[in-house]
Amino acid sequence: MDQDSHCTAERELLEAVSRITTFSTTSLSDEEQNQPKAEISCQVRKENPEKDDLQDSNASLSPNSSMTTKELQEYWRNEKRQCRQVKLLFEIPSTRIVEHHLSKYVMYRIIILQTGSFDSNKSVIERRYSDFEKLHRNLLEEFSEEMEDVTFPKKTLTGNFTEEIINERKLAFKDYLRLLYSMKCIRRSKKFIDFLTRPELQEAYGCLRGGQYTKALEILLEVIGLQERLTRGNPVSIVPTLCAIVVCHKDLENAASAFEYGEKALSRLRMYSSHRYYIPLLETMITLAYELGKDFLSLQEKLEEWKAKKDPIRVFTLKELAVREYVQ
């Protein structure tokens, strides 16, 4: 291809990218046009705080005109992969009745699936009626307007443990979670994410504090996948869990696995050197790299650079930070 043809191809591709970008940011999809009234209200009310993020996103979608045709194609493929939204489905296939001395309640088994994924991507949790009730009450405090059209299954004075009532609630809670997740401001809220992950995290950190690293690691590895899918817009929020996994692997003498998860955590803290986990994680990664025979000089340079900029302060170790999480 001669130079003129090559430039023409680049110019045409740039124009195509511009048209697609403009269309994607100004046109509503069929799903958005048919979304519930509550979600529309939620977007109108909550979109303004994200204005800067939207502008940054649009800016990142403007390719540099000096790119070659091949580079532009690869750029656009990467952008489409990053913008693809993860969608979750909620199923409640079964329940169990729990009896403890004077208390009796129903536990609902919730399976959370990623759309179009295999069973290996599913997460399984259990919640009781009072957990759902607490979530609903907490969400009403912050999203009263958005929750206007959301119904919650009421308690009955009798018959709470009959098969008919339990089956009705299984369907009601499934629809309830589906509707909450359809509203962007709610699915990104800490209260909704805590409902789906906090009980398991509290159990895991309790095991970690008790030296039960194998059990803690088992739970943390179950939770981290769900956390990642729920917090795509805030990757730094899962750093404590990643670091807890590092601590467990390190104490179980799985240095290679500890280093692997440490790299994941560091990649999320690249622009957040003031984060409380940054220096303890760097120090741990230097130790692990030395133990594994890996190059640790770049990590050491980052540590020295941070120390040169900051006043000397007490920094907890990674393990000390981990055991302090979820302490009541």
Side-chain angles (χ1 to χ4, degrees):
M1 180 183 293
D2 58 31
Q3 186 174 357
D4 290 342
S5 300
H6 183 73
C7 292
T8 301
E10 285 189 12
R11 186 166 57 255
E12 289 176 350
L13 183 57
L14 276 169
E15 291 173 354
V17 168
S18 178
R19 286 196 300 272
I20 294 171
T21 303
T22 303
F23 178 79
S24 64
T25 56
T26 58
S27 300
L28 288 174
S29 65
D30 292 340
E31 181 182 352
E32 289 170 327
Q33 289 172 352
N34 296 324
Q35 62 190 324
K37 174 186 174 183
E39 182 177 0
I40 296 172
S41 171
C42 177
Q43 289 179 346
V44 171
R45 183 180 173 192
K46 301 296 179 181
E47 285 296 334
N48 287 338
E50 299 173 0
K51 185 176 180 181
D52 293 338
D53 293 338
L54 182 60
Q55 290 173 343
D56 292 341
S57 175
N58 288 338
S60 68
L61 288 170
S62 300
N64 191 303
S65 58
S66 64
M67 288 182 177
T68 66
T69 302
K70 185 177 180 180
E71 288 172 338
L72 279 169
Q73 290 171 337
E74 182 61 28
Y75 171 89
W76 189 242
R77 278 196 293 268
N78 290 335
E79 286 298 330
K80 287 196 292 185
R81 278 196 293 267
Q82 291 173 7
C83 293
R84 191 174 296 131
Q85 180 188 341
V86 173
K87 295 183 180 179
L88 301 181
L89 301 175
F90 298 88
E91 299 290 341
I92 305 181
S94 60
T95 61
R96 62 188 179 94
I97 297 176
V98 179
E99 295 189 60
H100 284 306
H101 302 294
L102 300 177
S103 66
K104 182 179 179 181
Y105 53 87
V106 179
M107 292 293 287
Y108 296 86
R109 187 169 183 260
I110 306 168
I111 297 180
I112 305 164
L113 294 161
Q114 183 173 322
T115 305
S117 66
F118 296 105
D119 286 345
S120 59
N121 289 323
K122 72 180 181 183
S123 300
V124 182
I125 60 176
E126 283 190 319
R127 298 293 183 267
R128 54 189 290 189
Y129 182 95
S130 59
D131 295 324
F132 281 98
E133 194 174 38
K134 181 180 178 182
L135 169 66
H136 190 71
R137 190 166 56 248
N138 288 339
L139 290 177
L140 282 174
E141 292 176 359
E142 187 175 352
F143 305 103
S144 57
E145 184 180 339
E146 293 78 15
M147 298 285 287
E148 282 181 358
D149 297 331
V150 180
T151 57
F152 187 82
K154 296 180 180 179
K155 269 186 177 179
T156 58
L157 295 177
T158 59
N160 286 303
F161 301 101
T162 64
E163 185 177 354
E164 181 182 1
I165 293 295
I166 290 175
N167 285 334
E168 285 180 3
R169 285 184 177 170
K170 278 167 55 178
L171 294 174
F173 283 139
K174 174 185 172 181
D175 290 339
Y176 177 74
L177 290 173
R178 178 193 60 78
L179 183 56
L180 292 182
Y181 184 76
S182 74
M183 293 182 270
K184 183 167 66 174
C185 59
I186 290 182
R187 70 169 173 263
R188 290 184 176 182
S189 70
K190 185 178 185 300
K191 292 175 181 178
F192 182 69
I193 294 172
D194 277 354
F195 169 79
L196 296 172
T197 61
R198 190 178 179 89
E200 286 72 25
L201 286 171
Q202 286 178 320
E203 181 184 0
Y205 278 97
C207 292
L208 193 157
R209 283 189 287 273
Q212 301 175 50
Y213 302 114
T214 301
K215 179 63 176 176
L217 184 59
E218 179 185 337
I219 300 171
L220 289 168
L221 290 175
E222 285 285 332
V223 176
I224 192 66
L226 178 57
Q227 272 190 307
E228 286 177 328
R229 295 194 291 275
L230 288 168
T231 61
R232 281 293 177 93
N234 184 19
V236 178
S237 64
I238 66 169
V239 165
T241 306
L242 288 171
C243 288
I245 292 174
V246 172
V247 169
C248 289
H249 274 307
K250 189 172 184 296
D251 278 54
L252 291 170
E253 299 183 352
N254 300 328
S257 296
F259 191 83
E260 176 189 347
Y261 279 91
E263 286 187 314
K264 291 180 180 180
L266 268 183
S267 70
R268 287 162 171 78
L269 293 178
R270 189 177 292 113
M271 304 299 293
Y272 302 92
S273 60
S274 60
H275 194 282
R276 71 186 190 282
Y277 272 89
Y278 182 70
I279 293 305
L281 179 58
L282 265 183
E283 292 175 336
T284 299
M285 290 295 283
I286 291 170
T287 301
L288 289 169
Y290 180 80
E291 182 179 341
L292 293 167
K294 294 179 179 290
D295 177 25
F296 60 87
L297 291 179
S298 60
L299 296 171
Q300 188 69 49
E301 288 173 1
K302 289 178 182 178
L303 181 61
E304 295 302 328
E305 180 183 345
W306 185 91
K307 288 181 176 179
K309 290 180 180 178
K310 302 288 183 179
D311 294 330
I313 56 173
R314 184 192 173 192
V315 177
F316 292 111
T317 66
L318 197 67
K319 188 172 183 178
E320 287 173 337
L321 276 180
V323 299
R324 282 169 168 76
E325 294 284 347
Y326 294 97
V327 175
Q328 300 296 329

